[in-house]
Amino acid sequence: MNKAEPPFPSIYYVWVLCVAVLFIMLLYWFTESFNVPLGSA
Amino acid sequence: MNWIAWAVFFAFLIYVVTDGVRRGRKQQDLDGYFAGGRCIPWWAAGLSVMATQASAITVIGTTGQGHEKGMEFLQVYYPLPLAMVLLCIFFIPLYRKNPIITAYEYLEGRFGPATRSLASLIFLVSRCLALGVVIYAPSVVLSSMTGLDLLSTVLIMGLLTTFYTFLGGISAVVWTDVKQMTVILGGLFICLFILLSEVLQHLDFGEALRVMGSASKLNAVEVTPESVNFVPRTHAEIAANPDGMPSFWEEKYNLWSGLFGGLFLMLAYFGCDQSQVQRILTNPTANESRKALLLSAFAKIPMQALVLFIGALLYLFHLVGDEPLLYRPQDQALADRPEHVEVIDSIEQRYAAVKTERRQLAMDLADSPDDPVLQADLVGRFQGAVIRAAELRKEALTELAPPNEAGKKIPEVDTNYIFPHFVLNNLNPLLLGLIMAAIFAAAMSSIDSVLNSLSAATVIDFYKRWLRRDASEAQSLFAGKLATLFWGLLATAMAVGFEGGGSVIELVNRVGSYFYGSLLGIFTLAMICPAAKARAGLIGLAGGMLTVLAVHLSIKVEFLWYNLIGWLGVLAVGFVASRFEPR
């Protein structure tokens, strides 16, 4: 490992997690809006 | 397949192999052969991480799964971004502190050589067995598609990949993975485009979503589990009452098994499996390794959603067009035999009627006004037709299945043949060749990574550790190449031997999930329990595996949970054992 390496910016982690959560929420909305579980109608 | 498709397919194979061989000319030492001289850029390593995970079965099996069960499988991938962030924070500093080549080298520093060797051995055994399946499973499908016999398909896939990995080492693996990943993504987008253009001739996009959703194919997030009975059932209870209510732990995919079981699976796979860890050891710096993992964190869920959505679209494509009763060519041939022809004809007639009804109800549903009562009635009737069509397919597969020892016929699912059937019957030769190349690319990109990592673990953790500690770079490099050849030939031979061994394959597929949680557990124990030394480490690792075995033998739990159980088992046993370590 390069000793002079600067610390990795934590904001990247925050970005990744925020994008993932937003994407999963979008999929949740998508499921709730369109999907009907088999046998439930 | 006509000559144009074959030409495209072989052009791709020749390009991949020559590129792999060309990359190998620079390999002079072990660091170059197994770590690419630590000069692979982050984006290439990141794409290689994704390509390694995307096997041919991911492409053909997952689209089939989308067709049959909808998008529920996507839930396993939801914890992946969190797993990648945790690996960036906790694992990468460990791996990049010293110039190690295998993940298990780290364990020796903490727990001594026995734990390191045991962890590496677990990896070697489980990965080699799994590699046989990675070669065999797509070969079966591809041989039925191409008309090539199974042996030829296994040999092309296994030996070509072994050849360029043997010569080129990790650089060949990573750079061919980049090209293979490009072909896989290109192939998927072409299929998406074709399916959408076909479906949109019958329905607009909103109507298509409504129909797919009504068939329960858009189930990407299932918050409510099918069962809220949290008491697991023992095997004896299930044998006494086979029709009893399954417990929460027996549901394969829902949000909760995905989030918790999936998190530990992802952490173990990307953090402790040498076939993945090796990719992040090829970058020049730790921060480049982190970026490689974060690329996967960003891209994997959308990619998997794309694959499953293609499967769901394929269902709609069949629904508005014509869906075959049987997808597997062997089943179609069997159905023509005198002993089956009458029964299958009868099923075909009922299936045709159900398909017509299902199509009409789908069109009515698409055109229906926004009246909730009317819609609920239509959806109910449509779902009835969807279920009946699926039952008729199952009935036909049961009719064709050979009876087992008890005289009972168990249908063999044909999910893996759905996507190839579409490709073979609906694409022009040029695209067919390209998609075939994409399926082969997916297989080869997984095989090459595993081969190189098996070789790395053999040479670094065994040859240089136990057999020849004073081996020169040239001797070690020679051993590495020899090991690649050995594992490649062994896995190919195993794939040949799997023919007809369905139950063996299922068993092998599950082997990894029995060990993964324990492997993650031992790395976690190393990080969080300074009191644990050599003895506690070894006892903890054995304890975790025994815990999984005990759970497996006593109660019914879906495989994703084994990762969490193994991890907890190692930590619990390891912590207790650390109290008795000699001071």
Side-chain angles (χ1 to χ4, degrees):
Chain A
M1 186 170 149
N2 185 356
K3 298 282 182 204
E5 197 176 358
F8 193 69
S10 308
I11 191 73
Y12 284 11
Y13 301 140
V14 177
W15 265 110
V16 165
L17 293 176
C18 285
V19 169
V21 168
L22 282 174
F23 192 70
I24 294 167
M25 283 169 67
L26 181 75
L27 287 167
Y28 177 69
W29 167 83
F30 182 71
T31 306
E32 289 294 303
S33 304
F34 294 105
N35 198 64
V36 186
L38 275 185
S40 68
Chain B
M1 276 177 68
N2 72 7
W3 69 270
I4 300 175
W6 280 114
V8 173
F9 173 65
F10 278 111
F12 168 76
L13 282 190
I14 292 166
Y15 171 65
V16 165
V17 173
T18 49
D19 186 56
V21 172
R22 188 172 61 85
R23 300 274 175 190
R25 287 188 190 145
K26 297 172 194 159
Q27 312 301 334
Q28 304 292 335
D29 55 17
L30 268 193
D31 208 54
Y33 194 68
F34 290 131
R38 321 265 175 184
C39 61
I40 305 264
W42 64 269
W43 58 269
L47 283 174
S48 180
V49 165
M50 289 175 66
T52 300
Q53 198 193 13
S55 70
I57 285 299
T58 310
V59 176
I60 55 181
T62 310
T63 42
Q65 213 159 1
H67 183 280
E68 296 292 270
K69 301 253 177 183
M71 297 177 71
E72 63 175 16
F73 181 55
L74 188 59
Q75 295 169 115
V76 175
Y77 291 87
Y78 291 159
L80 189 139
L82 176 61
M84 292 305 199
V85 168
L86 292 174
L87 293 175
C88 286
I89 296 171
F90 297 109
F91 279 65
I92 286 187
L94 300 181
Y95 292 150
R96 300 307 304 252
K97 199 170 172 184
N98 298 307
I100 58 171
I101 287 178
T102 75
Y104 316 111
E105 284 182 82
Y106 164 72
L107 288 179
E108 178 160 358
R110 274 297 276 107
F111 297 128
T115 305
R116 168 189 174 180
S117 300
L118 180 59
S120 187
L121 191 66
I122 290 169
F123 164 75
L124 286 177
V125 172
S126 59
R127 268 290 150 198
C128 175
L129 286 170
L131 187 57
V133 178
V134 170
I135 298 173
Y136 174 79
S139 297
V140 177
V141 181
L142 290 167
S143 82
S144 74
M145 280 176 75
T146 56
L148 284 173
D149 63 89
L150 181 61
L151 183 67
S152 309
T153 323
V154 167
L155 291 181
I156 291 176
M157 199 178 280
L159 296 185
L160 277 185
T161 316
T162 304
F163 177 65
Y164 75 75
T165 312
F166 160 71
L167 288 176
I170 190 88
S171 297
V173 170
V174 170
W175 288 111
T176 51
D177 280 2
V178 170
K179 277 118 194 165
Q180 285 155 346
M181 196 64 210
T182 311
V183 173
I184 295 168
L185 285 175
L188 288 174
F189 276 109
I190 287 170
C191 288
L192 177 72
F193 178 76
I194 291 170
L195 282 167
L196 272 178
S197 59
E198 291 284 338
V199 165
L200 293 181
Q201 289 175 16
H202 302 271
L203 303 162
D204 69 33
F205 192 63
E207 291 168 348
L209 289 180
R210 190 190 296 178
V211 174
M212 278 194 285
S214 300
S216 203
K217 303 296 176 191
L218 302 181
N219 46 351
V221 183
E222 290 182 329
V223 180
T224 313
E226 282 173 13
S227 169
V228 285
N229 168 25
F230 292 100
V231 182
R233 296 190 301 166
T234 64
H235 293 299
E237 282 169 355
I238 294 169
N241 182 16
D243 299 324
M245 176 75 172
S247 77
F248 170 80
W249 312 102
E250 292 170 48
E251 193 179 346
K252 211 169 194 171
Y253 306 119
N254 61 39
L255 187 64
W256 310 110
S257 67
L259 282 182
F260 293 101
L263 175 67
F264 288 89
L265 173 68
M266 299 298 167
L267 282 170
Y269 177 58
F270 291 103
C272 311
D273 187 306
Q274 176 65 17
S275 69
Q276 285 292 2
V277 172
Q278 208 171 328
R279 255 121 286 281
I280 55 173
L281 299 175
T282 59
N283 307 119
T285 64
N287 284 352
E288 291 253 319
S289 304
R290 290 186 174 99
K291 284 186 196 167
L293 285 185
L294 293 186
L295 176 67
S296 255
F298 259 122
K300 190 65 194 180
I301 299 177
M303 181 188 156
Q304 209 63 27
L306 170 71
V307 176
L308 286 162
F309 189 69
I310 286 173
L313 262 182
L314 194 51
Y315 181 81
L316 193 57
F317 170 79
H318 284 138
L319 192 149
V320 296
D322 188 26
E323 184 176 10
L325 180 66
L326 302 163
Y327 287 99
R328 197 170 17 219
Q330 302 93 302
D331 288 337
Q332 288 159 0
L334 265 181
D336 292 335
R337 287 199 183 166
E339 64 266 33
H340 298 301
V341 73
E342 202 176 317
V343 178
I344 294 294
D345 271 354
S346 148
I347 297 173
E348 280 276 15
Q349 282 169 17
R350 283 181 284 148
Y351 190 57
V354 170
K355 276 192 302 185
T356 309
E357 184 191 350
R358 186 181 63 174
R359 186 178 194 282
Q360 188 53 53
L361 285 165
M363 293 303 165
D364 292 350
L365 195 60
D367 293 335
S368 67
D370 284 339
D371 176 352
V373 179
L374 186 65
Q375 289 240 343
D377 174 57
L378 267 175
V379 171
R381 286 193 289 145
F382 173 66
Q383 290 198 340
V386 167
I387 292 168
R388 282 201 303 284
E391 283 172 351
L392 284 169
R393 278 204 354 94
K394 195 174 171 190
E395 193 180 327
L397 288 171
T398 310
E399 163 64 23
L400 299 174
N404 63 13
E405 286 164 3
K408 200 175 171 192
K409 288 183 168 187
I410 310 286
E412 197 183 332
V413 289
D414 57 358
T415 315
N416 287 350
Y417 291 80
I418 296 171
F419 181 69
H421 181 278
F422 161 75
V423 170
L424 210 54
N425 291 289
N426 296 282
L427 301 190
N428 66 42
L430 195 69
L431 292 179
L432 172 61
L434 187 76
I435 303 294
M436 282 290 298
I439 297 174
F440 252 78
M444 293 166 94
S445 62
S446 300
I447 299 165
D448 59 11
S449 303
V450 176
L451 274 183
N452 191 255
S453 60
L454 285 171
S455 169
T458 310
V459 172
I460 305 294
D461 294 332
F462 293 95
Y463 174 75
K464 280 200 71 157
R465 177 65 186 81
W466 297 107
L467 297 175
R468 294 286 301 273
R469 296 197 77 147
D470 57 345
S472 67
E473 277 296 311
Q475 285 171 326
S476 302
L477 183 61
F478 179 71
K481 291 191 170 185
L482 214 58
T484 307
L485 204 59
F486 167 76
W487 288 114
L489 294 178
L490 182 66
T492 309
M494 275 171 32
V496 173
F498 278 145
E499 193 169 0
S503 56
V504 178
I505 294 161
E506 201 179 316
L507 179 74
V508 166
N509 262 335
R510 289 176 173 270
V511 165
S513 58
Y514 293 151
F515 295 123
Y516 265 173
S518 303
L519 270 184
L520 178 66
I522 192 67
F523 279 89
T524 315
L525 188 72
M527 279 184 248
I528 66 172
C529 181
K533 300 283 187 302
R535 202 165 62 180
L538 199 57
I539 294 172
L541 184 55
M545 290 188 288
L546 288 174
T547 309
V548 174
L549 183 68
V551 167
H552 172 70
L553 292 176
S554 52
I555 55 175
K556 185 153 191 219
V557 174
E558 259 311 319
F559 82 100
L560 272 176
W561 294 109
Y562 284 148
N563 299 294
L564 176 59
I565 293 163
W567 181 75
L568 286 173
V570 172
L571 290 187
V573 176
F575 265 111
V576 172
S578 71
R579 309 284 296 176
F580 300 99
E581 284 278 10
R583 303 282 163 189

